[in-house]
Amino acid sequence: MASISYFLLIFSFFFNLVSSSSDVPINVTKHFSFKDFTFTNNSRLVHDLKLLGSAKFSNEKGSLQIPNESQETGIRHQAGRGLYSFPIRLLDPITKTPASFRTTFSFQLNNSTTSASDLSDNGGGSGLTFIIVPDEFTVGRPGPWLAMLNDACESDYKAVAVEFDTRMNPEFGDPNDNHVGINLGSIVSTKVINVSDVGVSLKDGFVHHAWIDYDGPRRIMDVRLGLPNDEVYPSRPIFSEFMDLSPFLNEYMFVGFTASTGNHTQIHNILSWNFSSTSQAFLRYPSSETCQGKILLQNTTETTEATEKSNRNKTPRSFLIFVGSVVLALAVLIGFYFISKHRKSASKSKTSIEDEIHRPRPPNKPRRFSFSALSSATRSFSEIEILGSDIRGVYYRGKLGTNGSQVAVKRFSAQFLNTHGSDKKRLLKEIKVISHVRHPNLLPIRGWCQDNNEIIAVYDFVPNGSLDKWLFGAGVLPWTRRFKVVKDVADGLNFLHSKQLAHKNMKCSSVFLDVSFRAVLGDFGFVLMGAESKQFESIVCNSADVFEFGVIVLEVIGGRPRVEEVEEGRSEETNLLDFAWNLHETNEKVKLVDRRMGSLINLEQAIRVMEIGLLCTLNENKGRPSMEEVVELLHNMEKPLPELPRTRPIALFPYNSANTGLCNNYSCTLKL
Ligand SMILES: *[C@@H]1O[C@H](CO)[C@@H](O)[C@H](O)[C@H]1NC(C)=O
Ligand SMILES: *[C@@H]1O[C@H](CO)[C@@H](O)[C@H](O)[C@H]1NC(C)=O
Ligand SMILES: *[C@@H]1O[C@H](CO)[C@@H](O)[C@H](O)[C@H]1NC(C)=O
Ligand SMILES: *[C@@H]1O[C@H](CO)[C@@H](O)[C@H](O)[C@H]1NC(C)=O
Ligand SMILES: *[C@@H]1O[C@H](CO)[C@@H](O)[C@H](O)[C@H]1NC(C)=O
Ligand SMILES: *[C@@H]1O[C@H](CO)[C@@H](O)[C@H](O)[C@H]1NC(C)=O
Ligand SMILES: *[C@@H]1O[C@H](CO)[C@@H](O)[C@H](O)[C@H]1NC(C)=O
Ligand SMILES: *[C@@H]1O[C@H](CO)[C@@H](O)[C@H](O)[C@H]1NC(C)=O
Ligand SMILES: *[C@@H]1O[C@H](CO)[C@@H](O)[C@H](O)[C@H]1NC(C)=O
């Protein structure tokens, strides 16, 4: 018992250290200004502003223009963004205080001049927004969505926009085709202002000035709109009210403009832009008052109570968490030492140490969860927590009670467990094997559950979701990120193969993107061994993994799924693999490259990666590489590629579009 209270004492020391730290406020400020957007070798412009989707710098107008009218796709149904390239601190995460900012810009919305393609069009395009978004590489949807939101992010997307809307979309609550709206994480405006009331017509073709001021500590938003061709700061705001932006901000965000067109078109020009922001940050130092001696004198229970309270009020800085963990680890070691000593001398009872005290587990070690713990983590496996599902079961989002950390919970379906003659013991064994496999590009497993005739696997939660949502949604991943995803996936898979393990379920929805958009492979393993020896199965499946990797590569480059539904009036192949091989035969591989990536793409690199993808789809004995060779080819771009056959191989190995992920499907096809 002595050792336990010693342990508590150390524990309270840690929390005291955190709570008695003192706060030193500093101001984090940012200011930038663009007099115009003339692009005559202005390298700063390219460096400081990121254009996404249909956007360009227009030299003759000196503007940031959306859409890019020189695209061959035309200017209907286009979405574009121009963002300041560097993240700006807009929220203090500890106090949840938003930054104060002021931005002024001038813009001009002109009716489209390309009247030939717009038969009945005289009403202008969709509109423009000043936007604050969490990333600098996605574009939202065109039309009434104003390029603001996209499918990949749905409800969790943090964004703030002030829209200058020139189309009436009653489904989004628009009052008319000439209004300003304030949008908080949603395309439906929280506030709308009819600017006809103040004598402004947004799309009259004149230059307009806008001023947006936000007072972070007081949470007051103030929007002003000048009269046409008038730069004078208007004395009266069109909007000035309390508005809490903090729920819609991350600590760091990107700012800029978005605009879109739909059936109706309009050219949106930003002619100049100023932005400045100030946010307070707190540096926390451990207080000198906190000394071990003082704490040792304090009553243990009292301090733990007090610290629990203060811990609720304040979030400790990560540095202190680190210090705390070290102290904690030390405490555990010391406590452990005392207990074992105590046990040796006092008793030789058979109860295990774990039974005597609940000693904290090392955070990384996978463990067994109870069914009730996972049930409450997922709100009784509620439908609203479903992240996805496949033939093997359903994925839920969960929040663990112990520390509120988010997890992804895979509940294997009864059907899967029954129909595949599954032996639960083997499945659990496999989970345990997998749980020892750790690599930066493999999704870590937190633990498992076997209760109530169920088998559930618990993984780390990956905030940015699965790759398919990014590739096939309206958002656009730029080439550099796509290339990195391909390399990450190859590294993860190669590591699995090097451990004589196979993934057996390679598809875009098994690839997840973490906060920094590193790709991690999930959903691997869990296919029950057949009668064949493990060795044999491993070889068959590894080779199938390489094939599937090749298809994923093509999906990443093309931004389209392996099998597409037939669209009317489209002559292109709907099977991506056939399409890619045909393009190879006719030497038109460029045509596969996803056009939404715009001009910011290293085509040579993309074609090489596509060729590597095609190599992976060759028959096994006709040149399909191993993952090790693939990794080598991807990381060493100088290394010459093995030559691809001039024409498409005859017996291209078929794949199942529904991809059941069952290795058995391959066992027969591969023996061909
Ligand atoms: C930080 O900014 C606030 C408000 O703008 C100001 O009152 C304060 O003096 C500034 N603090 C420092 C250290 O500059
Ligand atoms: C502008 O850039 C082009 C290509 O980078 C270069 O050839 C040209 O000399 C530059 N012009 C000026 C005025 O710097
Ligand atoms: C605009 O479109 C043209 C034609 O497709 C293209 O050459 C140009 O690079 C695009 N501009 C930008 C900034 O993407
Ligand atoms: C930006 O700031 C500069 C100087 O601070 C000012 O001259 C210019 O008018 C401002 N631009 C806009 C669009 O307000
Ligand atoms: C907007 O304001 C104009 C001018 O005051 C008015 O005619 C119009 O009815 C208003 N529209 C709405 C939807 O309130
Ligand atoms: C744009 O179209 C509207 C509606 O037809 C019209 O009132 C306005 O004058 C046009 N503006 C320009 C610059 O052509
Ligand atoms: C927009 O229209 C106005 C008036 O017709 C014209 O003076 C101006 O040059 C046009 N601006 C753009 C960017 O097309
Ligand atoms: C755009 O036009 C097409 C055909 O003209 C029509 O089918 C479609 O519903 C229109 N879309 C919108 C959003 O009005
Ligand atoms: C510690 O606190 C408990 C309950 O608050 C109290 O009963 C006990 O007397 C205290 N011990 C000391 C040494 O202050």
Side-chain angles (χ1 to χ4, degrees), residues 346-365:
S347 81
K348 295 212 162 153
S349 82
K350 274 198 164 180
T351 41
S352 73
I353 296 163
E354 280 96 330
D355 291 342
E356 273 183 37
I357 58 156
H358 295 286
R359 135 182 102 83
R361 294 182 64 88
N364 284 331
K365 200 160 174 210

Side-chain angles (χ1 to χ4, degrees), residues 502-516:
H503 187 290
K504 312 179 213 176
N505 197 14
M506 289 290 291
K507 53 185 184 195
C508 281
S509 56
S510 303
V511 176
F512 300 90
L513 299 177
D514 77 1
V515 270
S516 56

Side-chain angles (χ1 to χ4, degrees), residues 626-646:
S626 68
M627 271 329 281
E628 202 181 343
E629 289 160 338
V630 169
V631 165
E632 176 70 26
L633 292 173
L634 284 171
H635 286 273
N636 181 358
M637 294 302 272
E638 306 300 311
K639 194 174 165 157
L641 287 185
E643 204 171 331
L644 278 168
R646 289 280 296 282

Side-chain angles (χ1 to χ4, degrees), residues 165-187:
D165 198 335
T166 52
R167 250 221 104 80
M168 179 166 167
N169 298 105
E171 69 273 30
F172 294 150
D174 290 353
N176 63 2
D177 61 355
N178 188 36
H179 63 272
V180 169
I182 296 169
N183 301 2
L184 303 177
S186 163
I187 192 65

Side-chain angles (χ1 to χ4, degrees), residues 61 108 110 205 269:
K61 297 169 198 153
Q108 188 178 36
N110 267 27
N269 286 294

Side-chain angles (χ1 to χ4, degrees), residues 51 53 55-57 68 70-72 599:
L51 299 182
K56 70 165 198 177
F57 297 118
N68 175 1
S70 35
Q71 290 175 147
E72 61 270 31
S599 52

